[in-house]
Coordinates of all heavy atoms in Angstrom, one line a residue:
A1 N 6.8 -76.3 13.0 CA 8.2 -76.5 13.1 C 8.9 -76.2 11.8 O 10.0 -75.6 11.8 CB 8.5 -77.9 13.6
A2 N 8.3 -76.5 10.7 CA 8.9 -76.2 9.4 C 9.0 -74.7 9.1 O 10.0 -74.2 8.6 CB 8.2 -76.9 8.2
L3 N 7.9 -74.0 9.5 CA 7.9 -72.6 9.3 C 9.0 -71.9 10.2 O 9.7 -71.0 9.8 CB 6.6 -72.0 9.7 CG 5.5 -72.2 8.6 CD1 4.1 -71.7 9.1 CD2 5.8 -71.5 7.3
G4 N 9.1 -72.5 11.4 CA 10.2 -72.0 12.3 C 11.5 -72.2 11.8 O 12.4 -71.4 11.9
L5 N 11.7 -73.4 11.2 CA 13.0 -73.7 10.6 C 13.4 -72.8 9.4 O 14.5 -72.3 9.3 CB 13.0 -75.2 10.1 CG 14.3 -75.7 9.4 CD1 15.5 -75.6 10.4 CD2 14.1 -77.1 8.9
V6 N 12.4 -72.4 8.6 CA 12.6 -71.4 7.5 C 13.0 -70.1 8.1 O 13.9 -69.4 7.6 CB 11.3 -71.3 6.7 CG1 11.4 -70.1 5.7 CG2 11.1 -72.6 5.9
L7 N 12.4 -69.7 9.2 CA 12.8 -68.4 9.9 C 14.2 -68.5 10.4 O 15.0 -67.6 10.2 CB 11.8 -68.1 11.0 CG 12.1 -66.8 11.8 CD1 12.0 -65.6 10.9 CD2 11.1 -66.7 12.9
V8 N 14.5 -69.6 11.1 CA 15.9 -69.7 11.6 C 16.9 -69.8 10.5 O 18.0 -69.1 10.6 CB 16.0 -71.0 12.5 CG1 17.4 -71.4 12.8 CG2 15.2 -70.9 13.7
L9 N 16.6 -70.4 9.4 CA 17.6 -70.5 8.2 C 17.8 -69.1 7.7 O 18.9 -68.7 7.3 CB 17.1 -71.4 7.2 CG 17.2 -72.9 7.5 CD1 16.5 -73.7 6.4 CD2 18.7 -73.3 7.6
A10 N 16.7 -68.3 7.6 CA 16.8 -66.9 7.1 C 17.6 -66.1 8.0 O 18.5 -65.3 7.5 CB 15.4 -66.3 6.9
V11 N 17.5 -66.2 9.3 CA 18.3 -65.4 10.2 C 19.7 -65.8 10.1 O 20.6 -64.9 10.1 CB 17.7 -65.6 11.7 CG1 18.7 -65.0 12.7 CG2 16.4 -64.9 11.8
L12 N 20.0 -67.1 10.1 CA 21.4 -67.5 9.9 C 22.0 -67.1 8.6 O 23.2 -66.6 8.6 CB 21.5 -69.1 10.0 CG 21.2 -69.7 11.4 CD1 21.1 -71.2 11.3 CD2 22.2 -69.2 12.4
T13 N 21.3 -67.1 7.5 CA 21.8 -66.7 6.2 C 22.0 -65.2 6.3 O 23.1 -64.7 5.8 CB 20.8 -67.0 5.1 OG1 20.5 -68.4 5.1 CG2 21.3 -66.6 3.8
Y14 N 21.1 -64.4 6.9 CA 21.3 -63.0 6.9 C 22.6 -62.6 7.8 O 23.4 -61.8 7.4 CB 20.1 -62.2 7.5 CG 20.4 -60.8 7.7 CD1 20.3 -59.9 6.6 CD2 20.8 -60.2 8.9 CE1 20.5 -58.6 6.7 CE2 21.1 -58.9 9.0 CZ 20.9 -58.1 7.9 OH 21.2 -56.7 8.0
S15 N 22.7 -63.3 8.9 CA 23.9 -63.0 9.8 C 25.2 -63.4 9.0 O 26.2 -62.6 9.1 CB 23.8 -63.8 11.1 OG 23.8 -65.1 10.9
R16 N 25.2 -64.5 8.3 CA 26.4 -64.8 7.5 C 26.7 -63.8 6.4 O 27.8 -63.4 6.3 CB 26.2 -66.2 6.9 CG 27.4 -66.6 6.0 CD 27.2 -68.0 5.5 NE 28.3 -68.4 4.6 CZ 28.2 -68.4 3.3 NH1 27.1 -68.1 2.7 NH2 29.3 -68.7 2.6
Y17 N 25.7 -63.4 5.7 CA 25.9 -62.5 4.6 C 26.2 -61.1 5.1 O 26.9 -60.3 4.4 CB 24.7 -62.5 3.6 CG 24.9 -63.5 2.5 CD1 24.4 -64.7 2.6 CD2 25.7 -63.2 1.4 CE1 24.6 -65.7 1.6 CE2 25.9 -64.1 0.5 CZ 25.4 -65.4 0.6 OH 25.6 -66.3 -0.4
S18 N 25.7 -60.7 6.2 CA 26.0 -59.3 6.8 C 27.5 -59.3 7.1 O 28.1 -58.2 6.8 CB 25.2 -59.0 8.0 OG 25.5 -59.8 9.1
L19 N 28.1 -60.3 7.6 CA 29.5 -60.3 7.8 C 30.3 -60.3 6.5 O 31.3 -59.6 6.4 CB 29.9 -61.6 8.7 CG 29.3 -61.6 10.1 CD1 29.7 -62.9 10.7 CD2 29.9 -60.4 10.9
L20 N 29.8 -61.1 5.5 CA 30.5 -61.2 4.3 C 30.5 -59.9 3.5 O 31.5 -59.4 2.9 CB 29.9 -62.3 3.4 CG 30.2 -63.7 3.8 CD1 29.4 -64.7 3.0 CD2 31.7 -64.0 3.8
V21 N 29.3 -59.2 3.6 CA 29.2 -57.9 2.9 C 30.0 -56.9 3.5 O 30.6 -56.1 2.8 CB 27.7 -57.5 2.8 CG1 27.5 -56.1 2.4 CG2 26.9 -58.5 1.9
E22 N 30.0 -56.8 4.8 CA 30.9 -55.8 5.5 C 32.3 -56.0 5.1 O 33.0 -55.1 4.9 CB 30.7 -56.0 7.0 CG 29.4 -55.4 7.6 CD 29.3 -53.9 7.4 OE1 30.3 -53.2 7.4 OE2 28.1 -53.4 7.3
A23 N 32.8 -57.3 5.1 CA 34.2 -57.5 4.7 C 34.4 -57.2 3.3 O 35.5 -56.6 2.9 CB 34.5 -59.0 4.9
A24 N 33.5 -57.4 2.4 CA 33.7 -57.1 1.0 C 33.7 -55.6 0.8 O 34.4 -55.1 0.0 CB 32.6 -57.7 0.1
L25 N 32.8 -54.9 1.5 CA 32.8 -53.4 1.3 C 34.1 -52.8 1.9 O 34.6 -51.8 1.3 CB 31.6 -52.8 2.0 CG 30.2 -53.1 1.4 CD1 29.1 -52.6 2.2 CD2 30.2 -52.5 0.0
T26 N 34.6 -53.3 3.0 CA 35.8 -52.9 3.5 C 37.0 -53.1 2.5 O 37.8 -52.2 2.3 CB 36.1 -53.5 4.8 OG1 35.0 -53.3 5.7 CG2 37.4 -53.0 5.5
E27 N 37.0 -54.3 1.9 CA 38.0 -54.6 0.9 C 37.9 -53.8 -0.3 O 38.9 -53.4 -0.9 CB 37.9 -56.1 0.6 CG 39.0 -56.6 -0.3 CD 40.4 -56.6 0.4 OE1 40.5 -56.8 1.6 OE2 41.4 -56.5 -0.4
A28 N 36.7 -53.5 -0.7 CA 36.5 -52.7 -1.9 C 36.9 -51.2 -1.7 O 37.2 -50.5 -2.7 CB 35.0 -52.8 -2.4
A29 N 36.9 -50.8 -0.5 CA 37.2 -49.4 -0.2 C 38.7 -49.1 -0.2 O 39.2 -48.0 -0.3 CB 36.6 -49.0 1.2
K30 N 39.5 -50.2 -0.1 CA 41.0 -50.1 -0.2 C 41.4 -49.7 -1.6 O 40.9 -50.3 -2.6 CB 41.6 -51.4 0.3 CG 41.4 -51.7 1.7 CD 42.1 -53.0 2.1 CE 41.8 -53.4 3.5 NZ 42.4 -54.7 3.8
P31 N 42.4 -48.8 -1.7 CA 42.9 -48.5 -3.1 C 43.6 -49.7 -3.7 O 44.3 -50.4 -3.0 CB 43.8 -47.3 -2.8 CG 44.1 -47.4 -1.4 CD 43.0 -48.1 -0.7
S32 N 43.4 -49.9 -4.9 CA 44.0 -51.0 -5.6 C 44.8 -50.5 -6.9 O 44.2 -49.7 -7.6 CB 43.0 -52.1 -6.0 OG 43.5 -53.1 -6.8
T33 N 46.0 -51.1 -7.1 CA 46.7 -50.7 -8.2 C 46.7 -51.7 -9.3 O 47.2 -51.5 -10.4 CB 48.2 -50.4 -7.9 OG1 48.7 -51.7 -7.3 CG2 48.4 -49.3 -6.9
E34 N 46.0 -52.8 -9.1 CA 45.9 -53.9 -10.1 C 44.8 -53.5 -11.1 O 43.8 -53.0 -10.8 CB 45.5 -55.2 -9.4 CG 46.6 -55.7 -8.5 CD 46.1 -57.0 -7.8 OE1 45.2 -57.6 -8.3 OE2 46.7 -57.3 -6.8
A35 N 45.1 -53.8 -12.4 CA 44.2 -53.5 -13.4 C 43.2 -54.7 -13.5 O 43.5 -55.8 -13.2 CB 44.9 -53.4 -14.8
A36 N 41.9 -54.3 -13.8 CA 40.9 -55.3 -13.9 C 41.1 -56.2 -15.1 O 41.4 -55.7 -16.2 CB 39.5 -54.7 -13.9
L37 N 41.0 -57.5 -15.0 CA 41.2 -58.4 -16.1 C 39.9 -58.5 -16.9 O 38.8 -58.6 -16.3 CB 41.7 -59.8 -15.6 CG 43.0 -59.8 -14.9 CD1 43.2 -61.2 -14.3 CD2 44.1 -59.4 -15.8
A38 N 40.0 -58.6 -18.2 CA 38.8 -58.8 -19.0 C 38.3 -60.2 -18.8 O 39.1 -61.2 -18.7 CB 39.2 -58.6 -20.5
D39 N 37.0 -60.4 -18.8 CA 36.4 -61.7 -18.6 C 36.4 -62.4 -19.9 O 35.7 -62.0 -20.8 CB 34.9 -61.5 -18.0 CG 34.3 -62.8 -17.7 OD1 35.0 -63.8 -17.5 OD2 33.1 -62.9 -17.7
S40 N 37.1 -63.5 -20.0 CA 37.1 -64.3 -21.2 C 36.5 -65.7 -21.0 O 36.8 -66.6 -21.7 CB 38.6 -64.4 -21.7 OG 39.4 -65.1 -20.7
G41 N 35.7 -65.8 -19.9 CA 35.1 -67.1 -19.6 C 33.9 -67.3 -20.5 O 33.6 -66.6 -21.5
P42 N 33.1 -68.3 -20.1 CA 31.9 -68.7 -20.9 C 30.9 -67.6 -20.8 O 30.9 -66.7 -19.9 CB 31.4 -70.0 -20.2 CG 32.0 -70.0 -18.8 CD 33.3 -69.2 -18.9
V43 N 29.9 -67.6 -21.7 CA 28.9 -66.6 -21.7 C 28.0 -66.6 -20.5 O 27.7 -65.6 -19.9 CB 27.9 -66.9 -23.0 CG1 26.8 -65.9 -23.0 CG2 28.7 -66.7 -24.2
F44 N 27.7 -67.8 -19.9 CA 27.0 -67.9 -18.7 C 27.8 -68.7 -17.7 O 28.2 -69.8 -18.0 CB 25.6 -68.6 -18.9 CG 24.8 -68.7 -17.6 CD1 24.2 -67.6 -17.1 CD2 24.8 -69.9 -16.9 CE1 23.5 -67.7 -15.9 CE2 24.2 -70.0 -15.7 CZ 23.5 -68.9 -15.2

């Protein structure tokens, strides 16, 4: 049952990330006029 749970969690994680990645790739393909801000945060 634990092995089955690991498999189910992996499938759920993949389905969630496939939707997020598709949305991010669609958003990244749109032209943007905003300049990228320099990262001034912590080193890590």
Side-chain angles (χ1 to χ4, degrees):
L3 287 174
L5 181 60
V6 169
L7 178 63
V8 167
L9 287 172
V11 168
L12 290 174
T13 303
Y14 177 80
S15 63
R16 177 177 178 256
Y17 271 96
S18 65
L19 295 174
L20 290 174
V21 167
E22 286 293 334
L25 289 175
T26 304
E27 186 67 28
K30 293 180 183 176
S32 176
T33 58
E34 297 177 15
L37 298 175
D39 184 23
S40 59
V43 174
F44 178 79

